[in-house]
Amino acid sequence: MNYLTYHDLEKENKHGFTAGEESLTEKSLVVREMVVPGFAGYPDMYVRHLHLVSIEQQYLIISMTDYEIDEAKRLEICAGAVKFLKQRSERN
């Protein structure tokens, strides 16, 4: 399975998608879903897993945000992932 990482972290000014360099296997280590407590002036970080299935591929999207995502945000992230993947394939 392929994976993408989605960041929306205000203090780090990190926003958007990055693609994983390798496919996930049963031996891959993946950060589990959790809330990482903030410290040293940083807010809590919410790590969530979303799944995107297209005709050709399956993707695990690992989202890292400084807020809890709701269903509308999950859909927005998935739509953004589709757009990101399309742009990426057009460049290659």
Side-chain angles (χ1 to χ4, degrees):
M1 179 185 304
N2 295 318
Y3 71 98
L4 301 172
T5 305
Y6 172 78
H7 291 97
D8 194 10
L9 302 167
E10 191 65 35
K11 187 159 179 120
E12 293 86 352
N13 195 26
K14 195 168 187 179
H15 308 280
F17 290 93
T18 54
E21 297 300 318
E22 302 175 6
S23 292
L24 295 175
T25 67
E26 59 277 348
K27 294 183 180 182
S28 298
L29 295 175
V30 177
V31 175
R32 66 183 172 97
E33 287 193 316
M34 69 173 98
V35 178
V36 179
F39 66 96
Y42 286 86
D44 294 347
M45 181 170 48
Y46 296 81
V47 178
R48 298 292 179 238
H49 296 170
L50 295 89
H51 297 274
L52 177 66
V53 179
S54 71
I55 294 171
E56 303 108 19
Q57 297 286 337
Q58 292 184 35
Y59 290 89
L60 172 64
I61 304 170
I62 303 166
S63 75
M64 298 178 190
T65 60
D66 50 17
Y67 53 87
E68 185 64 82
I69 59 174
D70 59 13
E71 191 59 30
K73 186 63 177 180
R74 288 176 188 267
L75 293 173
E76 181 183 322
I77 292 169
C78 287
V82 170
K83 183 177 178 181
F84 173 81
L85 291 168
K86 182 178 179 193
Q87 290 171 343
R88 191 168 184 252
S89 70
E90 289 172 353
R91 282 183 266 156
N92 294 336

